[in-house]
Amino acid sequence: GFDSYSEYLKSDLWDSIRAKVLIKFPKCCGCGNKPSEVHHTYYTELNLSGHSTEAMVPLCRKCHESIEFRDGKKSTLKQANHRLANMVSKQRKAGRL
């Protein structure tokens, strides 16, 4: 029921899904700080509707921007997920996650 993804992100539905993820996972998966945003690693009807949070990762704004953008351009989902995987791996090795 939304005309665009940006409308979805402004909705009460997204606010409730985001809040659920941030409560469940109180640390940014990139740096271990408090998260403020949620990254979809893939999109399904279940996670877009809030019936599943399986593909959602809590991130702080800085980490989310670092995986989503390069040289001012939006990355593909595959590129962002690859950067996220590298970020999480480094944090685990450092014992921060």
Side-chain angles (χ1 to χ4, degrees), residues 3 11-12 14 26 48 59-60 66 75 79 85-86 92 97:
D3 290 334
S11 72
D12 291 339
W14 173 244
L48 289 171
L59 294 168
C60 68
S66 74
S75 302
Q79 291 168 328
N86 288 337
R92 284 191 177 137
L97 295 179

Side-chain angles (χ1 to χ4, degrees), residues 6-49:
S6 63
E7 280 188 29
Y8 168 74
L9 292 177
K10 295 175 187 174
S11 72
D12 291 339
L13 173 62
W14 173 244
D15 284 345
S16 67
I17 295 167
R18 182 181 154 277
K20 189 185 321 180
V21 173
L22 296 178
I23 289 168
K24 186 175 179 181
F25 302 104
K27 289 186 177 184
C28 171
C29 285
C31 66
N33 290 327
K34 184 176 179 176
S36 57
E37 302 185 7
V38 176
H39 173 72
H40 284 88
T41 59
Y42 59 87
Y43 298 93
T44 66
E45 188 174 328
L46 286 175
N47 68 28
L48 289 171
S49 67

